[in-house]
Amino acid sequence: MRIIIMGPPGVGKGTEAELLIKHYNIPHISTGNIFRELFETELEIGKIAKSYINRGELVPDDITNEIVRERLNEKDVEKGFLFDGFPRNIDQAKAFDAILKEKNWKLDAVINIEGNEELIIKRLSGRRVCEKCGAIYHITNKKPKVEGICNVCGGKLIQRADDLEDTVRRRLRIYKDQTAPVIGYYLASGTIINVDGTRSIDDTHNDIMKVLGE
Ligand SMILES: [Zn+2]
């Protein structure tokens, strides 16, 4: 099974990805984890990629594509893969197609988990985290016994900068701007599967399995 998974921040994409890689026993490949693996080697391309990341810049597409190509030469992807967070623009999607074509491989599906923006904003901006033990709460869905205090360790509950409403709105907008063309690209090739991500993790997973013919 060769899958790409897409979805806005806060839609539960990570959890759905975990369920899929377990079901199919395939590697979970994100550019983040390929970069991390690469940095442990002495390869030149890893040093180049790292220099961009250290400067806080995006790694250019041609370097990212080359790294993906290398990753697809490894043995574990012969049984399939789940790509997550790649491709993030049309140029990367085209390069990915070219790499797959060289290998005579076809994508089985591009799973696009759709969320409701207002629900995502409520879910993320209501999140509170214990600054001591990391336990996660929610101001309406998972309230602590005492407001602002962790049930487990008595630590103070804080809101992470990433979860601030304005930040969440910005992240959602960036995601939309970046991925809309990629979704359009895969729509044209008929590989995209839209899944409703506003329901429970299990319901969304069952929908995905159904459309994958399981
Ligand atoms: Zn705690």
Side-chain angles (χ1 to χ4, degrees):
M1 192 53 87
R2 302 188 190 98
I3 313 172
I4 294 173
I5 194 165
M6 301 176 67
V11 82
K13 174 171 67 89
T15 312
E16 297 300 337
E18 288 307 316
L19 292 171
L20 285 169
I21 60 164
K22 257 190 221 140
H23 182 92
Y24 291 112
N25 189 28
I26 49 177
H28 182 185
I29 306 175
S30 70
T31 44
N33 63 33
I34 323 182
F35 286 153
R36 270 191 299 278
E37 284 166 17
L38 193 64
F39 297 158
E40 284 164 18
T41 70
E42 284 294 299
L43 290 174
E44 194 55 35
I45 197 159
K47 289 177 194 161
I48 298 170
K50 199 169 187 173
S51 70
Y52 284 95
I53 292 170
N54 286 345
R55 289 199 299 270
E57 292 171 25
L58 282 176
V59 179
D61 286 347
D62 53 343
I63 294 171
T64 304
N65 296 340
E66 198 45 46
I67 290 170
V68 167
R69 178 195 301 274
E70 288 292 324
R71 182 66 184 83
L72 288 180
N73 284 331
E74 281 171 45
K75 201 116 194 91
D76 64 337
V77 294
E78 282 170 14
K79 59 188 172 189
F81 53 71
L82 181 141
F83 264 87
D84 177 356
F86 178 91
R88 67 170 145 48
N89 60 44
I90 286 208
D91 286 341
Q92 289 187 349
K94 286 182 179 160
F96 196 43
D97 270 356
I99 298 168
L100 294 176
K101 208 169 173 190
E102 280 168 26
K103 294 188 160 291
N104 231 344
W105 286 353
K106 257 199 158 106
L107 274 179
D108 291 292
V110 178
I111 297 164
N112 179 36
I113 305 180
E114 296 178 300
N116 173 303
E117 284 205 4
E118 290 311 312
L119 274 179
I120 289 173
I121 289 161
K122 271 197 194 118
R123 197 187 290 168
L124 294 187
S125 66
R127 195 151 70 177
R128 298 293 180 272
V129 182
C130 172
E131 60 177 3
K132 248 165 112 183
C133 75
I136 294 172
Y137 297 86
H138 192 278
I139 53 169
T140 49
N141 304 338
K142 198 186 171 207
K143 289 184 185 174
K145 288 189 188 114
V146 181
E147 200 187 321
I149 304 291
C150 176
N151 293 348
V152 185
C153 75
K156 201 176 137 201
L157 303 185
I158 55 160
Q159 187 178 28
R160 285 188 296 219
D162 249 15
D163 294 336
L164 290 169
E165 183 173 334
D166 283 351
T167 312
V168 175
R169 285 189 189 277
R170 197 174 61 239
R171 286 164 64 202
L172 285 170
R173 200 165 51 237
I174 292 170
Y175 173 81
K176 216 172 172 180
D177 290 348
Q178 268 187 352
T179 53
V182 180
I183 290 167
Y185 178 82
Y186 286 119
L187 201 59
S189 69
T191 36
I192 206 136
I193 291 169
N194 291 318
V195 178
D196 178 5
T198 62
R199 301 174 311 137
S200 73
I201 289 164
D202 285 340
D203 284 345
T204 305
H205 177 67
N206 289 337
D207 277 359
I208 295 172
M209 297 319 288
K210 223 179 277 164
V211 286
L212 290 177
E214 298 283 323

